[in-house]
Amino acid sequence: MNRPLKNYDIAELKRLDLAHHLPAQADYKLLEDIGGSRIITRAEGSTIYDGEGHSLLDGMAGLWCVNVGYGRDELARAAYEQMLELPYYNTFFKTVTPPPVRLATKIAQKMSVGNPDLQHVFFNSSGSEANDTVLRLVRYYWQLKGEPERNIIISRKNAYHGSTVAGMSLGGMSFMHAQGGPMVPGIEHVRQPYAFNEGFGQDPAAFAQVCVDDIEARILAVGPDKVAAFIGEPVQGAGGVIIPPEGYWPKVEALCRKYGILLICDEVICGFGRLGQWFGHQHYGIKPDVIAMAKGLSSGYLPISAVGVSSKIVEVLKTGGDFVHGYTYSGHPAAAAVALANIEILEREGLVERTRNDTGPYLAKALTRLNDHPLVGEARSLGLIGAVEIVSEKGTNHRFGGKEGTAGPLVRDLCIKNGLMVRGIRDSIVMCPPLIITHEEIDRIVDVIEQSLNEAEPKLR
Ligand code: PLP
């Protein structure tokens, strides 16, 4: 798109940012020390540009979300036209607007593939809010069923389910639990299926069983009739792109069915094509009762999230009168119109199938090149999400400095210097590019990671 470039006074913006704006998940003192945040001013396709003349290939699709890439005129137009017709109305008090109805119908069509009971959608504005809805919804379901003591939710250590109080409590990140507690009670965290760190060298099927046994042991410890639900991301994203071993998800599903526990999939990252299916659980062939989705739902163009709910649950909700839960922006018409147009792009351009059959396998193959690198312990991916584990000793999972978190940030910073936006999570470099990424851009991602590892090696050794 040929839009005139705006001129920003970057030095002034940085000064004002430090003076007045508190950015997300930041060390405010450190930001001050380094002179403020990088100011991103525009983007096109899979490339972002900062105000100081740098361009970066966006290996993270923003924050795991810009699935259709940047600069989509069609999405801007969908928002504009909806805003002129009806910028806002709510879904409280027996009113609704057309876009959320159409969007819910479209989502139901996608999520019911292989799981015909998944037919209903509740809207929110963020992934965290979606998980707040999930928490209240499943506990309320069991109250209505006459089992109010079934209120324990089992989640995993190192899971990420958001930053609201419910989101961070459902999540399993101990450094988040340590700030601003107390957490929501009644949430238990079990072993994560992180084979490289916790099942190193083990047979994948045996490690899957170890993880599932840990869930079962916790169910038995708290009492099977006290457990409301199990929640998990099909692939843990913010935890470090943890792809569970073969067999893990079907075994977890079987365990939920054995004890009559609801199965919740947090599809906030995995939904809308990331793993090469519309939803991540479809890749694993399981049938959750509830799913949370956000990010790729609108490719981040406007904030919107949703909770997919099975008819089995909705039939029970119908016995309870008002479900007194909802947000001012639940079903926001402009956000819903954009999400609908975004799904139409994913469909029209075949981006989900392309991820499954073309770019996903291409990324997996390109990453195998890194397996020969002396600092790489493992390079893994599924669809268009992947991670490279950095180790101090080839053939082991030992980390530099004898502790986690030394190499990841260093290599990440080198990647950014070399023109690639990725994240460093502990000692891994993670990537999650837009689904429009080309083969050439995938090669560039791998080349820049390799170059950055080469530059990091003498600094680390
Ligand atoms: N759930 C998962 C799996 C996520 O990855 C995220 C965000 O990264 C969230 C929930 C929270 O979403 P939000 O940041 O939109 O609140």
Side-chain angles (χ1 to χ4, degrees):
M1 193 122 342
N2 286 324
R3 256 184 298 277
L5 293 184
K6 280 190 194 163
N7 263 325
Y8 292 102
D9 182 340
I10 295 298
E12 176 69 348
L13 276 174
K14 284 195 170 198
R15 192 184 65 73
L16 293 172
D17 182 52
L18 286 172
H20 301 295
H21 175 222
L22 298 174
Q25 299 234 355
D27 176 337
Y28 301 122
K29 177 68 175 68
L30 179 89
L31 275 181
E32 220 170 60
D33 294 346
I34 63 168
S37 301
R38 178 189 295 269
I39 299 185
I40 306 296
T41 51
R42 65 191 174 91
E44 188 67 42
S46 296
T47 304
I48 54 176
Y49 299 86
D50 74 14
E52 285 157 293
H54 303 108
S55 69
L56 290 158
L57 179 57
D58 188 5
M60 282 307 297
L63 200 55
W64 330 77
C65 57
V66 188
N67 287 15
V68 299
Y70 298 94
R72 295 284 192 165
D73 212 35
E74 196 175 333
L75 299 191
R77 223 187 308 273
Y80 177 76
E81 280 166 14
Q82 183 58 45
M83 283 185 190
L84 287 182
E85 184 173 287
L86 179 67
Y88 174 77
Y89 204 73
N90 63 74
T91 65
F92 286 51
F93 317 128
K94 306 187 190 73
T95 61
V96 75
T97 64
V101 177
R102 288 205 294 265
L103 179 60
T105 307
K106 177 65 93 177
I107 293 172
Q109 205 183 71
K110 302 291 182 201
M111 68 183 179
S112 62
V113 172
N115 191 0
D117 208 38
L118 215 42
Q119 289 292 345
H120 308 270
V121 179
F122 189 99
F123 288 111
N124 332 260
S125 299
S126 69
S128 303
E129 280 180 17
N131 284 324
D132 276 58
T133 295
V134 164
L135 181 66
R136 288 197 68 201
L137 181 84
V138 301
R139 285 180 168 170
Y140 179 49
Y141 165 80
W142 286 115
Q143 285 169 358
L144 287 175
K145 293 262 290 177
E147 295 185 66
E149 67 289 351
R150 252 196 203 268
N151 55 34
I152 305 276
I153 315 285
I154 298 186
S155 178
R156 279 103 49 99
K157 292 177 182 148
N158 195 35
Y160 188 73
H161 296 300
S163 272
T164 54
V165 177
M168 77 92 177
S169 304
L170 284 168
M173 298 196 161
S174 47
F175 53 90
M176 291 185 79
H177 297 164
Q179 296 179 347
M183 296 155 63
V184 172
I187 298 166
E188 299 276 329
H189 297 94
V190 297
R191 180 187 273 273
Q192 59 175 330
Y194 189 0
F196 188 78
N197 252 21
E198 299 179 17
F200 192 77
Q202 277 186 44
D203 167 59
F207 180 60
Q209 193 59 50
V210 167
C211 297
V212 173
D213 288 347
D214 193 49
I215 303 172
E216 185 159 28
R218 193 65 63 95
I219 293 170
L220 295 172
V222 299
D225 55 350
K226 304 258 185 320
V227 182
F230 175 88
I231 184 169
E233 305 152 72
V235 167
Q236 280 159 264
V241 183
I242 293 158
I243 302 169
E246 191 72 26
Y248 173 81
W249 273 115
K251 282 175 190 287
V252 172
E253 181 183 45
L255 208 54
C256 289
R257 302 298 168 235
K258 178 174 171 188
Y259 293 106
I261 294 166
L262 295 175
L263 176 58
I264 305 162
C265 284
D266 183 339
E267 295 271 5
V268 168
I269 287 178
C270 296
F272 301 95
R274 184 55 58 192
L275 305 188
Q277 299 284 348
W278 280 91
F279 292 99
H281 68 266
Q282 292 164 344
H283 171 82
Y284 290 107
I286 56 170
K287 293 185 174 64
D289 302 291
V290 177
I291 65 177
M293 65 196 93
K295 297 193 188 273
L297 168 57
S298 67
S299 286
Y301 276 67
L302 281 181
I304 184 166
S305 70
V307 176
V309 188
S310 64
S311 298
K312 165 179 101 175
I313 292 176
V314 173
E315 286 312 307
V316 173
L317 292 183
K318 285 179 186 168
T319 66
D322 281 349
F323 177 36
V324 280
H325 178 79
Y327 307 101
T328 300
Y329 303 124
S330 286
H332 190 286
V338 167
L340 205 53
N342 170 66
I343 295 175
E344 281 163 12
I345 292 175
L346 289 168
E347 286 179 330
R348 192 176 61 235
E349 298 185 5
L351 291 174
V352 180
E353 295 76 12
R354 182 162 171 257
T355 302
R356 179 167 69 244
N357 300 323
D358 177 10
T359 44
Y362 190 87
L363 173 66
K365 184 150 182 292
L367 283 173
T368 56
R369 181 147 60 80
L370 294 179
N371 281 325
D372 295 332
H373 195 281
L375 294 194
V376 172
E378 178 178 271
R380 58 175 180 267
S381 68
L382 178 59
L384 282 172
I385 189 167
V388 176
E389 297 274 1
I390 303 165
V391 293
S392 58
E393 226 178 299
K394 193 80 185 160
T396 71
N397 62 0
H398 301 168
R399 306 300 188 172
F400 280 99
K403 64 176 171 49
E404 285 195 324
T406 308
L410 174 71
V411 178
R412 184 240 7 239
D413 287 350
L414 289 166
C415 286
I416 294 173
K417 171 186 83 65
N418 293 326
L420 172 68
M421 182 57 82
V422 283
R423 265 180 81 178
I425 298 181
R426 294 182 309 278
D427 287 301
S428 61
I429 293 299
V430 306
M431 68 210 78
C432 180
L435 305 188
I436 55 161
I437 196 94
T438 62
H439 289 193
E440 293 71 28
E441 288 168 330
I442 290 173
D443 287 337
R444 188 134 57 89
I445 290 177
V446 177
D447 287 347
V448 172
I449 293 174
E450 188 172 24
Q451 178 192 346
S452 305
L453 287 166
N454 290 340
E455 291 173 21
E457 193 166 6
K459 297 183 204 297
L460 286 165
R461 294 233 186 258

